[in-house]
């Protein structure tokens, strides 16, 4: 299903998973806007896509094909701070054998990335000017945060206070819990 040509009345993509290549994304409202804002930052949004592409290609190179883009980048926000997303290596944090495989994936990713940014250890977070929250290395170098979906909770709660997994958490708005669309990046 192609990326819609307009955001809905809530400033979100209509609910659904939109398969899109980087060319599709660059030619969509996510970069070009829908023409309703005079301050839409096309240049910055295109730069975020360039940076996300670097990391997505690293994921694809190690065999992780299911990569999703979300956050304010896929919302009607003139200048998103970053791109948030998750990837699904189809492993479970509860299976020790899967975690051995995941550690190999992370090692391979860091062998590909010149900044060795594939790390979600809270101790790796660093302060960044103007931001109250400390940021992960991948955010500091790329302004992109991809989290691994290992069938675990995220700490993001639903409207009833239940912890959500990435596929659910990234398909609703955080403040009002409204369903929204998400991008699955395809080659």
């Amino acid at each position: 299903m192609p990326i819609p040509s307009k955001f809905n009345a809530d400033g979100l993509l209509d609910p659904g998973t939109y398969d899109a290549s980087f060319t599709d994304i660059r030619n969509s409202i996510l970069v070009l806007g829908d023409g309703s804002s005079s301050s839409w930052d096309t240049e910055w949004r295109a730069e975020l896509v360039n940076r996300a592409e670097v990391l997505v290609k690293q994921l694809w190179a190690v065999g992780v094909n299911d990569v999703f883009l979300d956050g304010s980048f896929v919302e009607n926000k003139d200048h998103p701070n970053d791109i948030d997303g998750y990837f699904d290596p189809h492993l479970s944090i509860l299976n020790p054998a899967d975690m051995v495989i995941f550690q190999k994936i992370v090692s391979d990713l860091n062998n590909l990335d010149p900044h060795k940014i594939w790390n979600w250890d809270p101790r790796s977070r660093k302060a960044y000017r103007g931001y109250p929250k400390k940021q992960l290395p991948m955010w500091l170098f790329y302004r992109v945060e991809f989290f691994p979906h290992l069938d675990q909770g995220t700490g993001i709660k639903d409207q009833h206070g239940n912890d959500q997994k990435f596929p659910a958490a990234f398909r609703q708005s955080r403040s009002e819990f409204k369903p929204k669309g998400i991008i699955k990046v395809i080659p």
Side-chain angles (χ1 to χ4, degrees):
M1 144 167 78
I3 299 171
S5 59
K6 294 216 173 276
F7 293 101
N8 65 25
D10 295 314
L12 309 170
L13 295 177
D14 282 334
T17 300
Y18 300 94
D19 292 349
S21 68
F22 281 105
T23 298
D24 297 332
I25 295 167
R26 288 184 177 97
N27 292 320
S28 75
I29 61 169
L30 301 178
V31 172
L32 303 176
D34 63 5
S36 64
S37 172
S38 62
S39 58
W40 188 263
D41 198 342
T42 299
E43 186 175 326
W44 172 242
R45 283 177 163 269
E47 179 60 26
L48 286 175
V49 171
N50 293 339
R51 295 176 183 199
E53 186 174 22
V54 171
L55 299 184
V56 171
K57 285 184 174 178
Q58 290 175 4
L59 286 162
W60 288 344
V62 301
V64 176
N65 297 315
D66 293 338
V67 184
F68 301 88
L69 306 183
D70 187 49
S72 58
F73 176 76
V74 302
E75 298 177 2
N76 190 9
K77 182 176 182 180
D78 290 355
H79 184 91
N81 291 326
D82 55 22
I83 292 179
D84 296 309
Y86 74 94
F87 60 93
D88 190 348
H90 301 282
L91 302 169
S92 172
I93 199 166
L94 300 176
N95 182 335
D98 281 357
M99 290 301 88
V100 171
I101 295 168
F102 182 67
Q103 291 303 321
K104 172 80 166 82
I105 289 171
V106 172
S107 176
D108 291 347
L109 286 167
N110 280 319
N111 286 335
L112 292 172
D113 189 84
H115 308 292
K116 315 296 183 209
I117 53 82
W118 294 97
N119 181 355
W120 301 270
D121 186 330
R123 295 170 295 184
S124 72
R125 290 182 177 268
K126 296 196 177 348
Y128 187 79
R129 65 182 184 276
Y131 287 81
K133 179 180 104 177
K134 290 184 176 180
Q135 303 293 340
L136 290 170
M138 71 176 66
W139 189 95
L140 294 168
F141 281 100
Y142 294 100
R143 288 291 189 101
V144 175
E145 285 186 321
F146 283 124
F147 295 93
H149 172 57
L150 300 170
D151 205 27
Q152 82 283 25
T154 61
I156 300 170
K157 306 295 183 193
D158 66 13
Q159 66 269 33
H160 307 292
N162 301 309
D163 196 24
Q164 299 181 91
K165 296 179 180 178
F166 282 109
F170 278 36
R171 286 176 171 81
Q172 70 175 17
S173 65
R174 299 244 174 112
S175 59
E176 298 179 356
F177 309 108
K178 292 185 176 177
K180 68 177 203 173
I182 190 170
I183 303 298
K184 179 180 180 185
V185 187
I186 58 174

